[in-house]
Amino acid sequence: MAQTVTEYDTIAAISTPPGEGAISIVRLSGETAVQTANKLFKGKDLTKVATNTINYGHIIDPDSGEVVDEVMASVMRAPRTYTCEDIVEINCHGGIVGTNRVLQLVLGAGARMAEPGEFTKRAFLNGRVDLTEAESVMDLIRAKTDRAMQVAVDQLDGDLRKLITNLRQEILEVLAQVEVNIDYPEYDTDEMTTKMLREKAELVLGRVDELLQTANQGKVLRDGLATAIVGRPNVGKSSLLNHMLQEDKAIVTDVPGTTRDVLEEYVNVRGVPLKLVDTAGIRKTEDKVEKIGVERSRKAITQADLVLLVLDASQPLTAEDRELITLTKDKKRIVVLNKQDLPQQLDMAELANLVPEAQLIRTSMLDVSGVDALDKQIKNLFFGGIENSQSTVMVTNARQSGLLRQAKASLKSVLAGIDAGMPIDLVQIDMTAAWDKLGEITGDAAPDELITQLFSQFCLGK
């Protein structure tokens, strides 16, 4: 963990979303945060109030004496704050003009504008959180489902950090034993140290593999599952989208080609966040606008994590249907046989021959039958082995999974070196590399450039 930093200038930013609302918060952090806010605050002397108190008063323009807003000022003293520094949060009436005016007065009183993520960066540099906990802050803000929120909360509590720290400790113990063997060979034998190296490498490798198995699910929870609803015109794609969204987002008519652009919406399907993409029906057309929509539909298929291929069960397969089956053959897909309320004309033997591996769901948008089965299938497809797990420790981003893969490669090199009879001091190099890569996950061994780049992705005021 990083050493505590005791001196920083005072930073300020608006910590609530822009726009109209009940409250807006201007946050200050730094050694002079209380004194800076006190220059503008008419009420109690903020420099003398107790920590963790909220105080009623007004923000005054010191140049004109004008009352800018009626506010509540929260005072929190270091080190038991989010940044481990003095923090003041000025709770203003929600609104763009008033909140910006308060922020400008705060900046004029001696604070500077915070960079994106700088409050959380200071929490990291002051040793309050590690990188996994810092990343979970944004995961919590962006959580789209209850399960995503719970994973973020657990990571914010340090579950992943504790696991990684324990793995690094396992490696450190064997590295210490290797050093003893190298410096004092008379007190140990190479065989005993090699055996310990192998056991520890296999133990840590197994646990790293377990973490990596959660990476795909973690990515889905964090970013949502890009799901393209595709099919030829008028097979029920927009009706399916509207039902999953529980609102009439897409226009539904019996006129082919009604949907001419790609519609995107997020929806929670049994804990799986889907970024639903309703595409224009793919068919040959001379209409310039519809043609652009068809091309965008093809692009949406290539970018999708999951394809819901909707077919009209009341009609035989068409050339467009067969083309879509070919376009989506390399994608994870579910075939939705819609219009089950009508007499079936689709040749199931032909369909089974074209998509032998397909997961088929029968639906009718008229009476909304089969949609629950579709929701269940989507959940099982992506969280089959994870949802019932008692562990909520999960790898949630590419940085973490990439470092775990590098640590795994180093651990495999350790085992390969032992099998090849390499000297212990050479095998130790790969074991140390694994220890370093795990340290980068928590920030214990992270370079400054990585830290700067990571926090730059945070929102302003966090």
Side-chain angles (χ1 to χ4, degrees):
M1 189 71 68
Q3 294 183 347
T4 299
V5 180
T6 57
E7 290 189 14
Y8 273 129
D9 55 349
T10 295
I11 57 174
I14 299 171
S15 291
T16 45
E20 296 181 1
I23 332 175
S24 292
I25 296 175
V26 177
R27 173 187 282 176
L28 298 84
S29 179
E31 285 197 337
T32 63
V34 179
Q35 292 85 343
T36 300
N38 200 51
K39 294 177 184 178
L40 313 169
F41 185 77
K42 184 178 180 181
K44 291 182 179 179
D45 186 341
L46 296 182
T47 63
K48 297 179 180 179
V49 301
T51 186
N52 299 330
T53 59
I54 187 165
N55 306 274
Y56 169 78
H58 295 81
I59 293 296
I60 307 295
D61 186 330
D63 294 331
S64 65
E66 175 193 358
V67 175
V68 175
D69 199 1
E70 182 182 34
V71 302
M72 302 290 286
S74 302
V75 176
M76 294 157 275
R77 294 283 189 175
R80 300 185 67 178
T81 68
Y82 182 70
T83 61
C84 297
E85 303 169 343
D86 286 352
I87 286 181
V88 176
E89 291 185 348
I90 302 173
N91 295 259
C92 316
H93 287 96
I96 298 173
V97 176
T99 307
N100 278 322
R101 181 83 182 277
V102 172
L103 174 63
Q104 292 306 314
L105 290 175
V106 167
L107 297 177
R112 73 163 170 83
M113 191 70 180
E115 298 172 357
E118 190 169 2
F119 292 95
T120 305
K121 183 178 181 180
R122 290 192 176 193
F124 167 73
L125 293 174
N126 285 324
R128 184 182 177 275
V129 297
D130 75 324
L131 284 189
T132 64
E133 292 164 329
E135 288 171 318
S136 70
V137 171
M138 288 310 298
D139 288 349
L140 187 58
I141 292 171
R142 295 169 177 166
K144 300 173 182 67
T145 66
D146 290 342
R147 175 145 177 82
M149 184 184 73
Q150 187 57 56
V151 169
V153 168
D154 291 332
Q155 196 149 302
L156 187 59
D157 285 340
D159 286 9
L160 181 59
R161 170 182 55 78
K162 293 169 188 173
L163 194 153
I164 296 296
T165 300
N166 289 339
L167 293 182
R168 295 189 84 220
Q169 184 59 36
E170 295 278 3
I171 294 175
L172 193 60
E173 290 173 3
V174 74
L175 289 176
Q177 182 61 40
V178 171
E179 289 293 339
V180 169
N181 176 269
I182 293 172
D183 294 339
Y184 305 100
E186 65 273 17
Y187 294 110
D188 200 355
T189 64
D190 285 349
E191 289 78 10
M192 289 180 60
T193 304
T194 300
K195 180 182 177 183
M196 181 180 292
L197 262 173
R198 182 186 294 277
E199 290 175 351
K200 291 291 186 183
E202 290 175 344
L203 172 68
V204 176
L205 182 59
R207 292 179 182 173
V208 167
D209 270 333
E210 290 174 3
L211 276 176
L212 282 172
Q213 288 174 11
T214 71
N216 287 337
Q217 288 80 8
K219 180 180 180 297
V220 169
L221 284 176
R222 179 186 173 97
D223 301 326
L225 190 68
T227 305
I229 305 176
V230 302
R232 59 183 170 83
N234 213 27
V235 295
K237 302 185 300 301
S238 296
S239 296
L240 177 60
L241 173 74
N242 287 341
H243 177 75
M244 296 181 82
L245 294 175
Q246 296 297 305
E247 63 173 303
D248 293 334
K249 185 72 175 181
I251 299 173
V252 178
T253 74
D254 57 0
V255 179
T258 301
T259 302
R260 296 191 169 205
D261 203 352
V262 171
L263 301 177
E264 293 188 3
E265 288 290 333
Y266 276 99
V267 64
N268 177 2
V269 175
R270 302 199 178 197
V272 183
L274 300 188
K275 184 174 73 174
L276 284 178
V277 181
D278 180 26
T279 62
I282 293 181
R283 65 170 180 169
K284 292 182 180 180
T285 177
E286 297 304 319
D287 186 299
K288 291 183 178 180
V289 177
E290 188 180 357
K291 189 177 292 186
I292 294 172
V294 170
E295 288 306 312
R296 290 184 179 180
S297 297
R298 292 177 185 275
K299 184 178 179 181
I301 291 173
T302 63
Q303 296 175 341
D305 300 311
L306 171 66
V307 171
L308 302 182
L309 173 55
V310 184
L311 301 176
D312 185 347
S314 68
Q315 297 182 13
L317 287 176
T318 66
E320 287 92 347
D321 291 328
R322 295 184 184 91
E323 180 184 2
L324 282 168
I325 289 171
T326 301
L327 281 174
T328 61
K329 66 179 180 179
D330 296 324
K331 288 289 181 179
K332 190 171 286 188
R333 66 184 173 187
I334 298 174
V335 177
V336 180
L337 301 180
N338 193 33
K339 302 189 181 182
Q340 292 294 318
D341 52 289
L342 299 175
Q344 182 173 314
Q345 298 293 325
L346 191 146
D347 187 337
M348 294 302 297
E350 181 186 3
L351 180 63
N353 184 54
L354 291 172
V355 284
E357 84 298 341
Q359 303 178 63
L360 303 178
I361 300 293
R362 298 175 181 273
T363 64
S364 168
M365 292 300 105
L366 187 65
D367 57 17
V368 199
S369 63
V371 179
D372 284 344
L374 176 61
D375 291 350
K376 185 177 180 181
Q377 187 59 48
I378 292 172
K379 173 189 169 185
N380 291 340
L381 200 58
F382 286 90
F383 291 113
I386 298 296
E387 188 69 17
N388 298 323
S389 172
Q390 297 301 309
S391 173
T392 52
V393 179
M394 189 172 285
V395 178
T396 58
N397 61 54
R399 185 189 74 86
Q400 295 170 3
S401 59
L403 290 168
L404 282 170
R405 279 190 285 270
Q406 292 179 53
K408 177 179 177 178
S410 294
L411 291 167
K412 284 190 170 183
S413 295
V414 169
L415 296 174
I418 292 173
D419 291 339
M422 291 175 61
I424 291 178
D425 54 341
L426 294 180
V427 176
Q428 179 194 28
I429 295 173
D430 288 317
M431 199 69 164
T432 303
W435 185 77
D436 286 336
K437 291 304 177 185
L438 292 175
E440 285 190 41
I441 295 175
T442 58
D444 289 310
D448 292 341
E449 314 85 72
L450 168 65
I451 293 170
T452 300
Q453 191 272 339
L454 188 151
F455 286 105
S456 69
Q457 301 173 26
F458 279 50
C459 55
L460 192 63
K462 191 57 187 173

